[in-house]
Amino acid sequence: MTSHPRTTAIALATALLLGGCSFIPTYERPAAPVPATYATSAAATPNAAAAAPWQDYFAEPRLRQLIEVALANNRDLRVSVLNIEQARATFQVRRADLYPGVGLAANASRAPATGTGDLTNSFSVGLAVTAWEIDFFGRIASLKEQALAQYLATEEGRNAAQVSLVAAVANGWLNLLADEELLDLSRQTLASRDESVRLTKMRLDAGVASELDFRQAESLTQAARATLAQQQRQRALDENALALLLGQSLPDDIRASLAGSRLAAAPAMAQLPAGLPSELLTRRPDIRQAEQQLIAANANIGAARAAFFPRISLTTQAGTASGELSGLFKSGSWGFTIAPSLLLPIFDAGRNQANLESARAGRGIAIAQYEKAIQTAFREVSDALAGQATLGEQAQAQQLQAQAEASRLQLSDLRYRNGVSSYLDLLDAQRSLFAAQQAVVQVKLAQLQNQVALYKALGGGAPEAAAAGNPS
């Protein structure tokens, strides 16, 4: 079956008008402004697999429960989800601008007739398309592409918010475990020092010890009591911070299970190969978000360029018209009108040029922000790898120091009881042991939180990049 040449020409012209052309610059991803590899030798693994989902990485049941609560109730994450809905609606508005809007039009007028001056009536009813812009030069299509990229950017922003939330909850949980361990240590130390004060007072009353020994023991006891109060306050602050992340109070069963918790009992997190910096471009949702914002800025240039060309609009109406209301819908009253219009900018006081320059500057800003996101990600991974390489050795050395201080305290106590050394030596050994034990907990906390930081820096098991296309 062959088509008529005139019909074919009309179809091609219609397709050209509807499809239009595009002035969007060809998008090219900027080169990553970071070295090809990390400086830390631990990152030598090329082609590392993507980070595991948080459910697999954080194996502690109580922590997994807290993360699930936070994902369901955290208000910042809820705002991120609503931002996606808002961006989707904006995209749908831009997409709808490509198509004509059809409405029911009804008009009634009474005016003097030309020539006679007699008043005449005019009534019409029909379907109307008012000022539909035929996107011949791609202005509306460019705005649609910009809205699509912004929509995809908000999706990646939500993914980035989820990664940050999971890491924050994990760090908050580790802080609570460390607080509980430090509180137990402070309570034991305070009890030991209270007993030391009691014994020293007995020795003072018996004339064996001096008042200086008693006052030194009392001073050290009050220092331990002050430390305990400080740690109790920090424990309350850390729980409040975690409750804010959860969007609710800490569950009672989890709060009750914290008593006597130890960081050492926390399940180990798997070692993560860092891979190459180039892999961060697809792993990290914040980098993907920055790239979508760059794509949106690039599309905005196309819309600004198209504004220099004519805008072609079409107004049409099909229906019935009559000079009498009763004459509507009668035979011979049906008809239609088509009124195309063209507006070519001639003088706008530099408005279009300024919009184009603003769009180009916006793309430059988006490029800088995209490159900064890559550099920030590179630094975060490098910092976490540096911590991974040194915190293990630091924790081991700190543990050995605490063991040495415990032995020193035993020897100092023995020497004091035998009159070989002063009470000041014994108090100094007690103070050093307490500080070393606290440092062990703090370094262990830093080691675990560094693993969380590396997990987050590598993408944190974020969902895959949003597929390009029209959102439903």
Side-chain angles (χ1 to χ4, degrees):
M1 177 179 179
T2 59
S3 60
H4 193 277
R6 184 177 179 182
T7 304
T8 303
I10 294 175
L12 290 175
T14 303
L16 179 62
L17 286 173
L18 292 177
C21 56
S22 175
F23 291 101
I24 300 176
T26 301
Y27 173 75
E28 294 182 4
R29 174 184 286 177
V34 294
T37 58
Y38 300 104
T40 307
S41 59
T45 308
N47 304 327
W54 67 264
Q55 295 93 334
D56 299 334
Y57 190 70
F58 299 107
E60 216 281 344
R62 293 174 296 177
L63 174 56
R64 293 178 64 177
Q65 179 184 345
L66 292 178
I67 293 176
E68 290 173 353
V69 169
L71 292 178
N73 297 317
N74 182 266
R75 298 313 191 267
D76 290 334
L77 189 62
R78 189 173 299 176
V79 169
S80 298
V81 174
L82 293 175
N83 284 337
I84 294 176
E85 298 300 321
Q86 188 178 45
R88 178 189 288 115
T90 301
F91 167 75
Q92 291 171 343
V93 169
R94 290 300 186 187
R95 184 174 58 180
D97 289 340
L98 288 169
Y99 303 96
V102 181
L104 178 63
N107 297 300
S109 64
R110 182 178 176 84
T114 303
T116 64
D118 296 335
L119 294 177
T120 60
N121 299 325
S122 176
F123 303 93
S124 64
V125 176
L127 299 178
V129 175
T130 305
W132 169 44
E133 180 179 346
I134 302 175
D135 196 29
F136 186 75
F137 297 101
R139 187 185 71 87
I140 298 177
S142 297
L143 294 176
K144 186 202 74 169
E145 292 301 320
Q146 179 193 23
L148 173 61
Q150 290 288 3
Y151 162 72
L152 297 178
T154 56
E155 281 197 332
E156 297 300 349
R158 187 265 175 198
N159 294 338
Q162 175 175 319
V163 171
S164 297
L165 177 60
V166 169
V169 173
N171 284 329
W173 171 250
L174 293 174
N175 281 332
L176 283 185
L177 295 182
D179 290 339
E180 290 293 335
E181 190 166 350
L182 289 172
L183 281 172
D184 285 346
L185 177 61
S186 294
R187 292 188 185 102
Q188 294 171 9
T189 301
L190 181 59
S192 174
R193 290 181 181 177
D194 281 336
E195 178 65 15
S196 179
V197 168
R198 188 184 68 82
L199 294 176
T200 305
K201 184 64 168 63
M202 292 174 58
R203 291 169 62 87
L204 174 62
D205 294 341
V208 179
S210 67
E211 185 176 356
L212 177 61
D213 292 344
F214 173 72
R215 294 305 178 187
Q216 287 173 335
E218 189 177 36
S219 174
L220 204 60
T221 300
Q222 295 305 323
R225 183 169 283 108
T227 299
L228 176 61
Q230 179 184 3
Q231 290 172 349
Q232 288 172 332
R233 180 175 67 255
Q234 187 61 49
R235 166 66 173 75
L237 295 178
D238 287 340
E239 181 174 340
N240 292 339
L242 183 56
L244 179 61
L245 293 173
L246 299 179
Q248 65 174 52
S249 301
L250 196 67
D252 293 336
D253 57 334
I254 293 182
R255 181 185 290 107
S257 68
L258 280 170
S261 296
R262 295 289 183 272
L263 284 173
M269 303 175 211
Q271 293 294 323
L272 295 175
L276 300 175
S278 59
E279 294 176 337
L280 293 176
L281 303 183
T282 56
R283 281 192 196 177
R284 297 253 313 204
D286 58 334
I287 295 180
R288 302 199 302 253
Q289 179 185 16
E291 184 173 16
Q292 289 297 335
Q293 291 170 340
L294 173 56
I295 293 173
N298 194 62
N300 192 37
I301 293 179
R305 286 176 172 176
F308 286 90
F309 294 86
R311 292 191 185 183
I312 302 173
S313 300
L314 181 65
T315 298
T316 182
Q317 182 170 345
T320 176
S322 174
E324 299 291 338
L325 187 61
S326 59
L328 290 176
F329 307 107
K330 289 184 178 180
S331 176
S333 65
W334 297 93
F336 68 92
T337 60
I338 297 178
S341 65
L342 182 146
L343 177 62
L344 175 64
I346 297 178
F347 175 76
D348 61 1
R351 179 182 291 106
N352 286 338
Q353 183 62 37
N355 284 334
L356 179 58
E357 292 174 359
S358 175
R360 287 172 174 166
R363 181 176 62 178
I365 293 172
I367 290 175
Q369 291 173 335
Y370 173 69
E371 293 175 341
K372 177 64 179 296
I374 295 175
Q375 291 174 335
T376 301
F378 180 85
R379 181 202 167 172
E380 290 176 353
V381 175
S382 298
D383 289 349
L385 290 174
Q388 188 180 62
T390 57
L391 281 170
E393 297 178 3
Q394 182 181 354
Q396 183 179 8
Q398 201 71 58
Q399 184 65 45
L400 292 175
Q401 181 187 6
Q403 293 174 3
E405 291 293 346
S407 299
R408 176 191 169 197
L409 177 59
Q410 293 178 353
L411 294 175
S412 296
D413 183 63
L414 181 62
R415 288 169 60 86
Y416 172 71
R417 293 179 184 276
N418 291 318
V420 179
S421 63
S422 67
Y423 191 64
L424 183 60
D425 293 335
L426 176 61
L427 295 180
D428 182 66
Q430 290 178 346
R431 186 185 303 109
S432 297
L433 175 59
F434 185 42
Q437 290 173 329
Q438 289 178 308
V440 168
V441 178
Q442 295 292 350
V443 173
K444 180 62 176 177
L445 173 63
Q447 188 178 18
L448 292 173
Q449 291 186 333
N450 183 77
Q451 294 180 29
V452 176
L454 180 59
Y455 181 77
K456 176 187 174 184
L458 292 177
E464 294 297 326
N470 293 350
S472 58

